[in-house]
Every structure is written in structure tokens, then in C-alpha cells.
Amino acid sequence: MFGVPGGGSSLDLIDAAADRGIEFVLCRTETAAAIMAAVTGELTGVPGIVLTGIGPGAASVVNGIAYASLERAPVIVFTDAHDEAATAPPHQIFDQPSLFAPISKAQQRLTPPDGSTSFERLFDLAAAEPPGPVHINLSAKDAGADCAAAVSWEALPAPEIDPDPMQKASELLASATRPALIVGLQCRIGGRAEAANTLADAICGPVMTTYKAKGIVPESGPLNVGLYTGAMLDNSVLREADLIVFCGVDPVEMIPGKWPHSTPTIVLSETPRLAFPFEPDAEIAGPVEDSACRLAQSPSSSAWTPEEINGHRARLRDTVANNATSQRSPDDIVDAVAAAAPKGARLAVDAGAHMFSAMARWPANAPHDVLKSNGLSTMGYAVPAALASWLQEPASPAVAITGDGGMMMSLAELSTAARLGANLTVIVLNDAALSLIDIKQQRQQRPPLGVRYPRADFAAAARGMGCDAWTVGGQDPLEFALAEAFESEGPTLIDVSVDPSGYREQLIALRG
Ligand SMILES: Cc1ncc(C[n+]2csc(CCOP(=O)(O)OP(=O)(O)O)c2C)c(N)n1
Ligand SMILES: [Mg+2]
């Protein structure tokens, strides 16, 4: 349970949680608390809980709930609410349900006497496919009132796989000679990851994973050729395919654009009729673990050679290489961090130009090896996500790679990391600019307005909040700071100068 309490029901909830042995993690901003709850939900499949106060607390959590909505993360957000009878004066009061309506799967004001039963139902709903946030308004008066014990609620059984589209999908696979597979976020949990790998082996063609599915099909294995975001570069692989199979992909993972292929497609998805930019030739809705295993048993013959698949992998990697001209490139930094990081470290990556190098170069061989905001692509994500990862799995050191802009949005959580004694290493790729926006502005031949600012001293800020920290200039060696940071078991930060001059070409190579 994460949050910043208000003076109302959140205090009752914190006490009730303490009675049950549920830890309340005090955060410094509501949005970071929601990201931490959401990442906890993504890692465990069990909804994370976030608490906020009324009015400003509720308004401040919105970006984190938007994250949970667009990244399909199970979360319960409790907002303090006024007593329904007391609407005047309207101090701190606005229509909170309307604020959360577009980004919530369900909403309810919990009231006695059946609040416990409603809560059980809402809790299951947050975790049901597609997972997402549920908003609960709760007044202090209702939180403190007596409530009947929950009447147990039976979850609906999983839907059966429809035999007709499965037959169609098997025929499509049987007649394909160059099938390609894309694995998405639904495959991160339970046996779905294993099923996706079984299907990959059966298809025996190039496999790409979405950002959130990075590592599900091992990148050190023979089939994974790289990442799929729907960019021009990824489509160059699909252009050579005669069948494209989407396994557990949510279309929120694809960058918007016209679908450039006329190749037949199969969609395996937990839920039907997701908003893909094409009409699938066969859609199998239902448990992906079953559908992927069943499709894997269909006869198939792949004409892809290992050389072709290896060739795609090398081409994708080389094409997105960042060739910065003067100082240290983001590729150099990511490679150095990956080489120095302890075994079993988990990476969280922020949004910005630095993410291209981080996502392309950090090796991942298991689900959740890398955490990334993709559906929302929010800045200020990497630090709270890494912190949530460490809280969930303290034996895995957490690493956050962020730009300076994203660091500014999550700086306050360094004090949470220090208070918790988190084994967290934050690497700030500092170019004193919102580079992703800067390069887009340059491409539109606009003057550099509103995207650059004086360099901040993040090491000093981190020290001020109780972290050990180092500053590494563009010509200084990075290895010493990395060795010391990773040796420490507490929170550390390295503010490293990065040369942004290669970002523009890198983005053009990726997206055109
Ligand atoms: C909360 C939020 N605000 C704004 C954006 C739009 N945006 C995407 S990347 C970016 C710049 C990021 O700058 P920085 O963190 O320094 O990373 P860099 O691009 O310089 O590597 C902005 C403003 C966003 N994705 N999320
Ligand atoms: Mg920057």
C-alpha cells in the first residue's frame, strides 16, 4: 500500500492495514505512489493499493492512474471523500469520480453495510483481464462505520477457446513458410511466458517483443531479433514475413500509424476485439497460455534460415546504434552500466531520447527484466518503478536509467529510497535538455525554444536527500563511480554527462 495520506479515510486505511500486517509505504508524491502500486501489481498480478487525500491529493495522483490504465496494471486507488451531506462550503471539493472516469475500469463510493463485499468484487475486477485501475471514494465517516463481513464473490470462469478461429489460425500457420511472431505485455505473467516460448520454437521464425515484453523470449536465444514498437525499423522485419502472429500484444503497445502490411495476421489475446490497426485474419480470444500452446501443436514449416534471423538481429541493433560525435554516447553509458551491474539486477527506464539506447542494449532474458512505461510513456517513471521492484524483490538490486527531465519529475522519491535503504542505483543521462522534444523541434526546423535549461547538479540534490552520489563529466571515466555505486547496498545516483548529438539520426533510423 503506497500513498500520501490525507486527513480523512486514508488514516483509517493505514491503521487497518497495520493491524493486518500490510505495510504502508509513505511516498513523496501521489503520482510516484501510484506508479509504485501499479508496478507492484504488474510484478505480482495482485492489485497494488494507492491512498490519497481529498481534492489536491486526488488530483495529484492522476498521472499514475493514467499509467495503470494504459499499461494494463491492476491498481486500487482510494481517495478521501467528503461526507455526502457536507458539500458546502466546497473547500477542496470537486467531482472526483468525473476526474477518474476515463482512466478507471470501475468506480464506487464504498459505504456500509456492504462495503466489504463491494471491495472484494472491485479488487477482483482490477486484476481481471485487461487489468487496470479501480477508483474508490471513501469518506472518513464511512471508513469508520461498522460493515457486514464480505459475502464471498465467485470469479467468472475463464472463457473457452472458440474452435473455429483456432482452426483458421492452424491453417494459416500450416500454409506459411515465413511466419514471424510478436510477443506482448499479456505474456508477462504465469505460464503465458512459457507458452509464448513454446509457440516461438514451433514457429521457428524471427521473434520480436514489445517494450513491456522485453526478455520474455530470451534475447540471448536464437529467435529473438529485437524490439517491436510498430516503428519503421521493426516493420522491415515483418515485410519479409508471410504470416504475422501477435501473441498477447495489446495495441496500446504500438506507436500510432497506418498498418503497412497486407500479410495475414493471427491475434492471440486474453480479451477479444482489441483496437488493432488491422482486421486480424484469425483472432483467438481467451487464455493465451492455452491458445499459444494449441497453435504451437499445429503443423508448421519455416523456411527462415538461422543466418537470416541472425542477420535481422544484427541489422536492428546496428541501425539503432547511437553515433554521438564528441563525448560519451548513450550507448557507451548503457553498455558500461550493464557490464558493471550485479547479476540479477533489474532495470527501469524512463521516457525520453535516452530510452532508445537503454531499451536496445540492456540484455534481458526473463519477463520483467526491464520495466518501462510504454502505453502512457510517462516521464518520472524509472525511479518509482525501480523502487517498487526492489520492495517486491529486495534480493534483486534495482537500476533506474533516466534523463535529466524525468529525474526532475521523480527527484523527491530519492528521499523515499534513502528512508527505505533501497538497493537502488540511479543513472541520470544528463544533457540539460528535453532531448526527445528538442530533436523533434529541430526536425520541424523550429528555433530551440522551451527545451533546454541550465544543467542541474543531481549528485548534490541526491546527497541532500541521503543518497551517495557521483558526478561524471563527458571525458571522465565512468567505471569507478559505477563500481562504487554497485558495491553500496543503499541508494546511489550517478549524474553522467551524455552527448545528445546522435539522438536525431538514431530516431530517424528507428522511425523514419
Ligand atoms: C509526464 C510527461 N511529461 C511530458 C512528456 C513528453 N516528453 C516525452 S520525452 C520528453 C523529454 C524527456 O527529457 P529527459 O528526461 O531529459 O530525457 P532525454 O529526452 O533528454 O533523454 C518529454 C517532455 C512525457 N512523456 N511525460
Ligand atoms: Mg535530457
Side-chain angles (χ1 to χ4, degrees):
M1 199 180 244
F2 303 86
V4 180
S9 62
S10 44
L11 296 180
D12 298 280
L13 288 164
I14 291 171
D15 284 351
D19 283 348
R20 302 290 175 94
I22 298 171
E23 187 187 358
F24 172 70
V25 179
L26 170 63
C27 302
R28 307 315 297 252
T29 69
E30 286 83 357
T31 270
I35 290 172
M36 289 171 72
V39 169
T40 305
E42 290 176 88
L43 293 174
T44 61
V46 179
I49 307 246
V50 55
L51 310 182
T52 82
I54 197 168
S60 177
V61 81
V62 166
N63 192 47
I65 301 306
Y67 169 86
S69 174
L70 288 184
E71 318 276 346
R72 316 305 183 214
V75 163
I76 308 280
V77 52
F78 277 100
T79 52
D80 278 353
H82 62 279
D83 183 14
E84 265 182 315
T87 50
H91 179 70
Q92 291 197 315
I93 294 177
F94 61 86
D95 179 358
Q96 291 177 185
S98 290
L99 186 66
F100 290 96
I103 48 175
S104 305
K105 279 182 80 174
Q107 296 184 280
Q108 192 165 333
R109 176 184 270 268
L110 276 198
T111 50
D114 58 357
S116 311
T117 305
S118 302
F119 180 70
E120 274 209 18
R121 193 179 59 80
L122 294 167
F123 195 80
D124 287 349
L125 192 65
E129 287 293 337
V134 165
H135 171 225
I136 295 177
N137 250 342
L138 182 63
S139 72
K141 186 162 162 247
D142 289 339
D146 284 336
C147 187
V151 177
S152 98
W153 153 266
E154 279 204 20
L156 292 173
E160 296 276 303
I161 302 274
D162 189 342
D164 289 348
M166 180 49 93
Q167 177 62 30
K168 176 83 195 292
S170 299
E171 286 164 15
L172 285 169
L173 184 56
S175 57
T177 56
R178 299 180 74 77
L181 176 66
I182 303 170
V183 176
L185 64 77
Q186 294 175 0
C187 295
R188 289 172 300 166
I189 50 170
R192 298 179 199 168
E194 216 174 300
N197 277 283
T198 306
L199 182 58
D201 291 342
I203 284 180
C204 205
V207 177
M208 290 188 277
T209 63
T210 62
Y211 272 2
K212 292 202 79 111
K214 184 171 161 75
I216 291 178
V217 176
E219 292 179 344
S220 57
L223 297 175
N224 190 329
V225 298
L227 294 164
Y228 178 79
T229 59
M232 182 190 75
L233 184 62
D234 331 333
N235 282 320
S236 68
V237 179
L238 299 184
R239 246 198 327 268
E240 291 184 15
D242 63 359
L243 175 68
I244 306 170
V245 183
F246 286 81
C247 181
V249 176
D250 190 305
V252 77
E253 304 186 85
M254 302 165 69
I255 52 177
K258 201 169 167 295
W259 177 246
H261 309 286
S262 52
T263 320
T265 52
I266 298 173
V267 166
L268 312 183
S269 171
E270 291 288 321
T271 45
R273 291 180 295 285
L274 295 179
F276 281 97
F278 52 83
E279 190 60 41
D281 293 83
E283 181 200 66
I284 302 159
V288 165
E289 186 175 345
D290 287 1
S291 57
C293 286
R294 276 165 64 175
L295 187 59
Q297 284 160 14
S298 304
S300 63
S301 56
S302 168
W304 293 99
T305 64
E307 291 71 34
E308 285 173 319
I309 295 175
N310 292 339
H312 277 305
R313 182 183 309 111
R315 186 176 56 83
L316 294 196
R317 190 179 159 91
D318 293 349
T319 310
V320 293
N322 186 305
N323 301 308
T325 46
S326 55
Q327 298 180 6
R328 182 181 282 113
S329 77
D331 283 7
D332 296 338
I333 298 171
V334 173
D335 289 350
V337 178
K343 214 171 159 343
R346 175 180 281 154
L347 177 70
V349 181
D350 218 78
H354 61 280
M355 75 187 173
F356 301 123
S357 295
M359 294 306 291
R361 302 186 82 84
W362 188 275
N365 292 302
H368 297 302
D369 269 1
V370 174
L371 303 174
K372 175 84 184 77
S373 170
N374 184 23
L376 183 66
S377 289
T378 184
M379 294 163 71
Y381 168 76
V383 170
L387 209 40
S389 166
W390 176 78
L391 279 167
Q392 193 55 42
E393 290 168 37
S396 303
V399 182
I401 289 186
T402 175
D404 44 285
M407 188 68 240
M408 279 293 186
M409 294 185 183
S410 54
L411 197 59
E413 299 311 328
L414 291 179
S415 76
T416 309
R419 192 187 77 237
L420 297 170
N423 189 346
L424 166 70
T425 300
V426 180
I427 312 289
V428 187
L429 273 66
N430 194 346
D431 50 17
L434 302 172
S435 281
L436 187 59
I437 312 303
D438 191 357
I439 52 179
K440 289 180 180 175
Q441 191 179 51
Q442 285 173 37
R443 288 187 71 186
Q444 294 171 24
Q445 283 156 9
R446 296 172 190 264
L449 295 173
V451 291
R452 297 182 199 169
Y453 34 73
R455 176 175 298 267
D457 183 347
F458 290 108
R463 275 184 221 114
M465 283 190 272
C467 303
D468 284 338
W470 297 262
T471 304
V472 178
Q475 313 289 352
D476 302 339
L478 175 56
E479 284 64 28
F480 300 113
L482 283 171
E484 287 194 58
F486 284 127
E487 206 159 290
S488 160
E489 299 216 331
T492 53
L493 178 144
I494 302 176
D495 175 339
V496 53
S497 294
V498 65
D499 178 355
S501 61
Y503 283 139
R504 197 181 146 171
E505 291 309 313
Q506 190 179 30
L507 184 66
I508 292 171
L510 186 63
R511 296 194 183 165

